[in-house]
Amino acid sequence: MKHVLSDFDLSSEELGEVLSLSAEIKGSPEKYLHALEGKTLIMLFELPSLRTRISFEAGMSGLGGHAIFYGVSEGGFSRSETLGDGVAVLSRYSSCIMARVLSQEAMEKMGESATVPVINGMTELYHPCQNMADLLTIQEKKGGLAGLNIAYVGDGGCNTAASTIIGCTSMGMNVTIVCPDDPQYSPSPELLEKVKANKGSVKVDHNSSTGVRDADVIYTDVWVSAGMEEEKQKRMTMFPPYQVNTELVKKAKPDCIVMHCLPAHRGLELTSEVMDSPQSVVMDQAENRMHAQKGLLYWLLKE
Ligand code: CP
């Protein structure tokens, strides 16, 4: 029984296995139509989702299994029972739990109480399933991962940036976090220390022009997420120099691909001209959420 509570729960070998399985299942979906027959995934959400919710449900049904959605705001854990008790009960009804919860602390507690695998569907610190889809996409577009340069442009302190740093360096990629010179929007020193042993490298550059130089991949994400309304003004002042526009993309390698985990705010973190350009792979990336999660579910639940 294995949990994926953060990107650190998968070794580079295990992540490689999940990516290989994802590619195999994507290439021959008909072979896996009954692979998880009789298995049930419970999906818990404390925050809204389009891609994570639907791609997990579609992925589970594509493997012959079943998925149940439960919005935590419907009452469950906010009533009198503890998170641990609730998760222990849900383990009796299911083969696996995927959760998008507000805190990594809650995610870790779920892992302690669950008797089935728990998958992190995003917390404030990590978004591992997004990174698996990102790696699958890069692998498809570039024919490999090790040695490639990825520039993550924007909020270097967010969950997607953290998962990019961990997953991409684990697979031997070189990550440049291109972000404002402010600790709040930069990766934490603890995170940078923890990935030092990984095969790839990570560095921080506050200048967008030098930060994307030699990039094979430019990645960006939303500047102001739900719940950040109080610092919206500060963010809208700090991030415009980091917009991914045609001028910035021209500074990377000529065959650089552009990625965004979506939802995108066209005209803010990236322009429509870039998002709709031949270099953009964002829709393939979004599709790969489902394929990568099928690979992960099969890897966790196969008998
Ligand atoms: N990228 C992502 O996690 O999308 P959702 O918030 O729609 O799930």
Side-chain angles (χ1 to χ4, degrees):
M1 215 267 292
K2 173 121 184 130
H3 297 314
V4 182
L5 305 177
S6 83
D7 308 76
F8 287 116
D9 287 327
L10 294 179
S11 66
S12 58
E13 290 72 27
E14 290 172 328
L15 182 54
E17 282 171 28
V18 171
L19 294 175
S20 296
L21 269 175
S22 306
E24 152 69 17
I25 297 170
K26 182 176 180 181
S28 306
E30 67 288 348
K31 280 202 236 163
Y32 293 86
L33 287 174
H34 303 286
L36 296 186
E37 213 158 57
K39 306 278 186 196
T40 297
L41 171 72
I42 292 182
M43 308 188 296
L44 297 178
F45 282 88
E46 275 189 318
L47 288 169
S49 165
L50 176 72
R51 281 145 289 271
T52 305
R53 186 220 156 134
I54 304 295
S55 59
F56 261 103
E57 187 162 346
M60 199 62 187
S61 72
L63 294 170
H66 182 64
I68 298 170
F69 169 81
Y70 185 73
V72 178
S73 58
E74 285 173 29
F77 301 133
S78 58
R79 292 189 307 187
S80 54
E81 70 186 340
T82 66
L83 179 62
D85 288 345
V87 168
V89 170
L90 293 178
S91 300
R92 304 291 180 108
Y93 305 148
S94 64
S95 322
C96 186
I97 297 169
M98 183 277 291
R100 172 170 288 189
V101 288
L102 288 166
S103 75
Q104 186 63 24
E105 194 185 347
M107 180 64 58
E108 303 288 336
K109 277 195 188 137
M110 291 176 72
E112 284 164 21
S113 305
T115 53
V116 296
V118 176
I119 301 172
N120 180 336
M122 196 179 88
T123 63
E124 87 287 19
L125 295 186
Y126 305 109
H127 199 353
C129 295
Q130 181 65 54
N131 182 250
M132 288 173 214
D134 300 342
L135 290 169
L136 182 64
T137 309
I138 297 167
Q139 196 165 266
E140 286 174 353
K141 303 293 177 190
K142 295 288 177 186
L145 295 170
L148 291 177
N149 302 322
I150 180 167
Y152 186 99
V153 184
D155 182 358
C158 76
N159 46 13
T160 308
S163 288
T164 301
I165 291 170
I166 303 162
C168 291
T169 58
S170 177
M171 298 312 288
M173 294 179 69
N174 305 310
V175 181
T176 304
I177 299 295
V178 187
C179 63
D181 190 1
D182 182 321
Q184 190 182 352
Y185 307 130
S186 303
S188 71
E190 296 77 28
L191 175 62
L192 296 178
E193 187 60 35
K194 276 173 103 168
V195 298
K196 259 188 183 164
N198 284 356
K199 285 179 274 185
S201 66
V202 57
K203 66 178 196 284
V204 177
D205 192 330
H206 302 304
N207 181 307
S208 59
S209 298
T210 55
V212 302
R213 196 182 292 155
D214 295 329
D216 299 288
V217 181
I218 291 178
Y219 196 123
T220 189
D221 193 2
V222 61
W223 290 343
V224 187
S225 295
M228 292 177 178
E229 286 72 19
E230 274 181 23
E231 19 156 344
K232 183 171 178 182
Q233 198 57 45
K234 182 180 174 193
R235 285 174 172 267
M236 294 308 283
T237 311
M238 301 286 279
F239 287 116
Y242 299 91
Q243 183 187 63
V244 176
N245 50 37
T246 303
E247 197 189 339
L248 189 73
V249 174
K250 277 187 186 150
K251 292 177 177 155
K253 286 185 180 170
D255 62 350
C256 174
I257 57 171
V258 176
M259 303 181 76
H260 190 307
C261 67
L262 303 181
H265 296 78
R266 290 167 179 261
L268 292 180
E269 70 269 13
L270 90 170
T271 59
S272 280
E273 194 180 15
V274 169
M275 179 145 166
D276 299 329
S277 73
Q279 283 173 275
S280 165
V281 299
V282 297
M283 293 303 160
D284 293 333
Q285 179 186 2
E287 180 189 331
N288 277 340
R289 288 296 304 272
M290 182 180 71
H291 302 300
Q293 287 152 197
K294 282 170 93 171
L296 177 64
L297 288 164
Y298 184 64
W299 184 78
L300 287 170
L301 301 180
K302 69 180 184 294
E303 279 158 5

